Amino acid sequence: MRNAVVTPEGDQIRWVELPGQEPSRVYVHGLGATSPAYFPEVAVHPLLAGRRSLLIDLLGHGISDRPTGFDYTLESHADALAAALTCAGVTGAELIAHSMGGSVAIVLAARHPQLVSRLVLVDANLDPIPPRPASAGSSGIAAYSEQEFLAGGWEESRDRAGSHWWSTMRLAGREALHRSAVHLTRGTVPTMRELLLDLKIPRTYLLPEADGPLPGADALTEAGVAVVPIPDCGHNIMLDNPEGFARATAAALTDREQQ
């Protein structure tokens, strides 16, 4: 396990690192998840193995610190991640980022372009979404005020999340989980989708085939984003179909020329 101080208060981001060749690959988890639990099988898959790989946990999640004074906006997540990668000596990394982690990765690439050479987004959030009370995921968490969430909303969210997601969600700080969900549903200005369209690096978006066409896929494709449906999976593509995920990710990282 490695670590880096990423805030003036001394808070640390931590990651599990697999040795290998450069450029580095950085795996970034989604809301309430942790990269060392979600990505190890695919990171060591024969199609993806051999690169220096950082399975990194965002601030407030997993093995990283959970400060209660941090605001957990997508921009702050991205800047903290940038500080960790800089400390690790990473430049021009290939980011493989799931769900909320994909949103953070887009913001990272826009704000710290020297750190990112390619993006593989895994069913990532591209647009703001309205809070939806009593629903699972970020929209349900964001429907609570922070006071409501800390007073008992987290228990209701736990019950809606189910045992699989809760197994890693329980590691997140409760303030971190709520604030991250709120800012994920609010998105960024410009939106994550608009930032993604403007990036000039190779970009791939993986989504479950069963979800049907990705909204706005034509504009993404026209801007050079490869949109790749993956069969036999749900939102957690790397867990549900690791073979399909590894094939698509390896193709994204090897077959496309730098734009």
Side-chain angles (χ1 to χ4, degrees):
M1 185 173 66
R2 310 290 176 86
N3 62 281
V5 174
V6 298
T7 70
E9 294 73 30
D11 303 300
Q12 296 186 31
I13 276 180
R14 299 182 180 88
W15 64 93
V16 170
E17 184 164 327
L18 306 176
Q21 298 179 346
E22 297 285 354
S24 298
R25 287 182 180 153
V26 179
Y27 292 84
V28 189
H29 61 84
L31 179 71
T34 169
S35 292
Y38 274 63
F39 288 111
E41 181 176 2
V42 294
V44 300
H45 189 283
L47 292 174
L48 295 173
R51 288 288 188 87
R52 181 191 182 197
S53 297
L54 288 72
L55 282 62
I56 199 161
D57 278 349
L58 297 171
L59 209 60
H61 290 71
I63 57 176
S64 292
D65 285 348
R66 300 179 288 276
T68 59
F70 194 72
D71 62 16
Y72 295 99
T73 66
L74 293 174
E75 294 86 353
S76 293
H77 270 306
D79 290 346
L81 179 56
L85 296 181
T86 300
C87 182
V90 170
T91 57
E94 300 170 341
L95 262 70
I96 300 98
H98 179 230
S99 197
M100 182 187 80
S103 304
V104 173
I106 292 168
V107 178
L108 176 72
R111 291 168 73 90
H112 306 276
Q114 75 281 3
L115 296 177
V116 185
S117 63
R118 292 173 183 260
L119 281 178
V120 178
L121 304 173
V122 187
D123 211 18
N125 302 66
L126 299 182
D127 305 297
I129 57 174
R132 292 191 293 269
S135 64
S138 59
S139 61
I141 294 173
Y144 297 99
S145 70
E146 184 168 309
Q147 183 177 7
E148 290 169 340
F149 186 76
L150 297 178
W154 69 269
E155 295 172 308
E156 297 171 351
S157 298
R158 172 199 62 194
D159 296 341
R160 288 193 290 266
S163 60
H164 185 274
W165 192 11
W166 182 250
S167 68
T168 58
M169 188 186 289
R170 63 182 178 173
L171 303 176
R174 291 174 189 172
E175 292 88 354
L177 186 62
H178 181 263
R179 293 174 197 170
S180 293
V182 166
H183 290 294
L184 179 61
T185 60
R186 290 177 182 171
T188 57
V189 180
T191 66
M192 297 85 79
R193 183 183 296 271
E194 292 168 323
L195 293 174
L196 178 62
L197 289 170
D198 285 343
L199 292 175
K200 305 304 180 186
I201 56 176
R203 296 144 295 159
T204 299
Y205 189 102
L206 310 182
L207 74 155
E209 186 176 72
D211 285 359
L214 178 69
D218 289 346
L220 291 171
T221 301
E222 185 177 346
V225 181
V227 178
V228 182
I230 307 296
D232 304 320
C233 65
H235 179 57
N236 297 322
I237 300 173
M238 74 294 290
L239 299 178
D240 297 338
N241 186 355
E243 185 67 29
F245 177 90
R247 286 198 303 268
T249 300
L253 296 176
T254 58
D255 291 348
R256 303 183 67 209
E257 296 296 325
Q258 184 80 17
Q259 295 178 347

